């Protein structure tokens, strides 16, 4: 599995831009100069018409810099859900501004600590004029100050369905959440009879969410690989510079072994993440399994490598002077997002007809 020359050029361009523009300031140039917000959006809706491998490259680079940008919530979750819904009207209306970065979207579906469609308890009932009235609370919603497209999963008489709810709808309340990982904002959305518009077909939400979760896991796995790789680079550089007992700590055999183990974890995780991206582009039937593998493998690899970064940096690794603790917090936050590794191994076991222990 190899990336194309164009994809490697994309990596170089994104890395260069993120070096020049830090944090939230990178959103506008990334969207305008590189078209990052619409990489996987078809050209008919104003996007670049790329695929999951292009998103993989972008997310790796965002992971390296611990970028707070809303690509995962907007370009992957929101755009992915709209495209999966098959709702031409909604796609034609919402995707062009999302693809240009003029609009930012988010998808609210987790409840009770679970991203399974079966956990959805929010309700939607028919209202006046063809509208629907939604009531319920959504957790772990990826947040951004300028979110203006809100898609919500709610249960109707036909099953789980997807709805577009105006962010300023009556009865809709956004509650920012304080998270351990300060580089990725989250919010809780509470809906109390808020008006919404059905997206796609009533009762088709479970299929849409299953597909979007797989795309999200593939994208997040790439981000985790990029962040883990950067952790390893920082640690190797520090091991060369830090001197104890008259020699660099990187010259000690025990430290070499730990760095070598971390390198193996990063490269194994990269293979798993690429496997999910290639499946999304070329073998959709294999995506569910590949995404579950990638999320499980990459979450655990990033957590271990980030932990080693803290350990091998010593005291400075837990101070605000160094980024090590930020990668460590991102590792643990990302590990739980869209389901912990154990949940995805359970999915794999169920798909293979095995009992998960």
């Amino acid at each position: 599995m190899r990336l194309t020359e164009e994809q490697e050029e994309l990596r170089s361009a994104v890395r260069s831009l993120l070096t020049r523009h830090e944090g939230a300031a990178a959103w506008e140039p990334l969207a305008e100069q590189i078209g990052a917000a619409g990489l996987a959006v078809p050209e008919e809706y104003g996007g670049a018409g790329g695929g999951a491998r292009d998103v993989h490259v972008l997310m790796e680079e965002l992971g390296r810099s611990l970028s707070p940008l809303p690509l995962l919530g907007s370009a992957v979750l929101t755009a992915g859900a709209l495209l999966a819904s098959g709702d031409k009207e909604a796609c034609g209306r919402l995707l062009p501004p999302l693809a240009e970065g003029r609009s930012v979207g988010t998808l609210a579906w987790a409840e009770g600590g679970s991203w399974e469609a079966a956990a959805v308890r929010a309700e939607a009932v028919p209202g006046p004029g063809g509208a629907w009235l939604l009531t319920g609370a959504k957790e772990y919603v990826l947040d951004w100050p300028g979110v203006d497209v809100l898609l919500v999963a709610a249960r109707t008489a036909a099953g789980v369905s997807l709805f577009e709810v105006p962010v300023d709808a009556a009865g809709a309340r956004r509650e920012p959440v304080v998270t351990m990982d300060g580089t990725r904002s989250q919010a809780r959305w509470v809906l109390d009879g808020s008006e919404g518009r059905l997206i796609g077909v009533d009762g088709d939400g479970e299929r849409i969410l299953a597909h979007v979760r797989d795309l999200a896991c593939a994208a997040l796995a790439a981000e985790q690989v990029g962040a883990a790789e950067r952790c390893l680079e920082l640690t190797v550089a520090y091991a060369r510079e830090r001197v104890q007992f008259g020699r660099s700590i990187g010259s000690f055999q025990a430290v070499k072994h730990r760095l070598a183990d971390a390198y193996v974890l990063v490269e194994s995780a990269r293979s798993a993440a690429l496997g999910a991206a290639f499946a999304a582009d070329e073998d959709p039937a294999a995506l569910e399994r590949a995404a579950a593998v990638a999320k499980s493998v990459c979450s655990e690899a990033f957590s271990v490598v980030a932990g080693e970064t803290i350990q091998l940096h010593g005291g400075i690794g837990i101070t605000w002077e160094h980024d090590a603790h930020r990668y460590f917090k991102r590792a643990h936050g990302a590990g739980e997002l869209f389901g912990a590794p154990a949940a995805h191994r359970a999915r794999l076991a169920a798909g293979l007809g095995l009992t998960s222990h």
Side-chain angles (χ1 to χ4, degrees):
M1 295 181 292
R2 306 188 71 165
L3 296 172
T4 65
E5 183 178 338
E6 290 79 9
Q7 285 160 347
E8 292 299 345
E9 289 174 355
L10 171 64
R11 180 191 304 282
S12 177
V14 173
R15 186 174 300 186
S16 175
L17 189 147
L18 292 176
T19 300
R20 300 193 308 272
H21 304 276
E22 294 186 0
W27 175 245
E28 187 173 332
L30 199 63
E32 292 182 354
Q33 298 174 27
I34 295 179
L39 270 184
V41 174
E43 293 180 5
E44 64 181 296
Y45 297 122
R53 281 169 287 189
D54 301 296
V55 173
H56 172 98
V57 171
L58 173 63
M59 294 303 294
E60 265 201 31
E61 293 305 310
L62 294 177
R64 285 178 60 87
S65 64
L66 290 183
S67 171
L69 299 182
L71 269 298
L72 185 59
S74 189
V76 178
L77 294 180
T78 308
L82 287 168
L83 289 168
S85 75
D87 190 323
K88 296 291 186 181
E89 188 282 330
C91 286
R93 179 167 49 86
L94 298 174
L95 282 176
L98 286 171
E100 293 174 14
R102 292 186 289 110
S103 222
V104 175
T106 194
L107 174 62
W109 93 88
E111 292 185 41
S114 173
W115 281 266
E116 298 290 340
V120 173
R121 294 290 178 268
E123 294 182 343
V125 297
W132 292 76
L133 303 180
L134 282 71
T135 300
K138 294 293 177 179
E139 304 168 334
Y140 311 118
V141 183
L142 298 185
D143 199 24
W144 183 253
V147 164
D148 51 7
V149 176
L150 174 64
L151 301 184
V152 179
R155 192 172 293 277
T156 71
V160 177
S161 302
L162 193 65
F163 298 88
E164 175 193 357
V165 177
V167 294
D168 57 356
R173 185 172 77 253
R174 168 184 166 273
E175 300 175 347
V177 175
V178 177
T179 59
M180 179 177 69
D181 175 14
T183 63
R184 173 171 280 134
S185 299
Q186 293 185 15
R188 180 173 182 264
W189 277 87
V190 179
L191 307 172
D192 185 9
S194 304
E195 282 198 6
R197 176 194 179 281
L198 179 67
I199 298 290
V201 177
D202 188 11
D204 195 33
E206 186 167 351
R207 178 194 65 81
I208 295 171
L209 293 177
H211 178 65
V212 169
R213 180 173 65 173
D214 290 338
L215 293 178
C217 285
L220 183 57
E223 179 194 273
Q224 291 170 315
V225 169
E229 179 182 54
R230 184 58 181 153
C231 279
L232 181 57
E233 290 173 1
L234 291 170
T235 309
V236 169
Y238 183 76
R240 286 174 175 154
E241 298 167 1
R242 181 73 169 96
V243 174
Q244 283 190 333
F245 308 111
R247 52 193 283 200
S248 68
I249 63 172
S251 67
F252 292 105
Q253 196 67 32
V255 174
K256 290 181 181 179
H257 285 164
R258 292 172 73 169
L259 292 173
D261 289 344
Y263 175 78
V264 171
L265 285 174
V266 170
E267 293 307 312
S268 298
R270 193 190 312 280
S271 294
L274 277 171
F278 271 77
D281 284 343
E282 299 181 358
D283 188 7
L287 175 58
E288 181 179 4
R289 183 177 300 180
V293 168
K295 181 57 169 66
S296 177
V297 169
C298 296
S299 292
E300 294 189 337
F302 184 20
S303 289
V304 172
V305 174
E308 286 288 70
T309 298
I310 295 282
Q311 291 289 326
L312 292 176
H313 274 79
I316 195 174
I318 56 173
T319 69
W320 288 103
E321 299 173 36
H322 199 280
D323 284 337
H325 72 98
R326 294 185 175 89
Y327 284 95
F328 187 77
K329 292 169 182 175
R330 170 67 72 92
H332 286 273
E336 297 297 317
L337 195 60
F338 311 131
H344 291 283
R345 287 195 291 270
R347 282 210 297 151
L348 285 169
L352 294 170
L354 303 174
T355 301
S356 179
H357 296 288

